[in-house]
Amino acid sequence: MKRLILLTIKTLLILGMYPCHAQSSYQDLSAQERKYYDEHIYMGQPDDSKVFVKNAFVFRYNHEQRIPVWSAYHVVPDYLNTPSRKKKYKKFRKDPEIPNAVVTSDYTGSGYARGHYVPYFVLGGDRDKDGIYSDLYDDSKDPQDDQTVFEGNMMTNIAPQDHNALNGAGGPWYALETKIRTKMIPKLKELHLIVGGIVSDPDNYEQVMHRQSKPTGIAIPDKFYQVIIYQDPISKEHMTAAFLFPHVRERYELPYQETLDYMVPVDSVELLTGLNFFHELDDTEEDAIESETNRGFWEGFFE
DNA sequence: CGGTGGCTGGGG
DNA sequence: CCCCAGCCACCG
């Protein structure tokens, strides 16, 4: 009860302080935001929630759990032209659009890594099509493309992930991202992805403890997933993939060694999350491709 | 913000 | 083989 009252007070405070920064419905978006929304949301938004629109992705945020629920992004090879992750591109930033925003120091000493939902490597490219790319040393070179990278490093694109057993080199999350970057995008040229974390019990979840002791309220998902959709440019047919990772803390607790073994039907992720991916697909096609892992289509990228 | 260090897979 | 790339952490 006390918790509920505190929460209510907090909510009222937040609403009063930040009236302009609620997540938005489509009709509230500016023309520029709609352009990015239309790019990143493919075949329908996975739920009817309000969202935040960034240059490189669109996401839903859970203000109570202080983590993104899901992030959707479109990627083409040019976006892999990401600046070196140094200096201004290195730091994790606070998201100015979020009340009570998470800051990078919230994670310090917690034992959890700051894991990107939308990976750093897709934040590049000449997205404003002005022929200029952002520059590590020159802030005036292309502020727009700079902003795209900064947004990807904001804490609203971050959730706590175990470095050793998930997010770092050798972890399945890292392994999948590497295949997407080095194999899928160069070969397929264009993908749409949706990434998310799952907090199975919203009434009882672990949270990030700053320096092992101070609670931050940041929820630690017990599962993470990545959903991919590809459209064949000739036949116009679609292919989907879904990967579901348990959030374990030690590598030996991982159930599988091979990234492909984490594949599940898209339907399975929908069952766990309550989301409906790509609902604007033709129903017959959607049923067919979301009920199977489609491993045969994807396994070539994991050789 | 620069410097250093851990980890691991992949490439020369 | 070693070194680098791409995940990060931590320190002053």
Side-chain angles (χ1 to χ4, degrees), chain A residues 36 40 54-58 72-74 118 122-123 127 148 151:
Chain A
Y36 287 123
H40 299 301
K54 302 294 190 188
N55 295 349
F57 55 99
V58 170
Y73 67 99
H74 170 238
V118 179
V122 302
L123 300 174
R127 291 175 183 258
T148 304
E151 288 175 354

Side-chain angles (χ1 to χ4, degrees), chain A residues 171-199:
Chain A
W173 185 268
Y174 177 92
L176 176 57
E177 287 190 333
T178 301
K179 295 302 182 191
I180 292 169
R181 182 181 74 251
T182 62
K183 308 279 188 184
M184 294 183 195
I185 297 170
K187 179 85 189 299
L188 300 176
K189 309 295 187 195
E190 181 169 22
L191 294 173
H192 285 85
L193 296 95
I194 299 170
V195 178
I198 300 174
V199 177

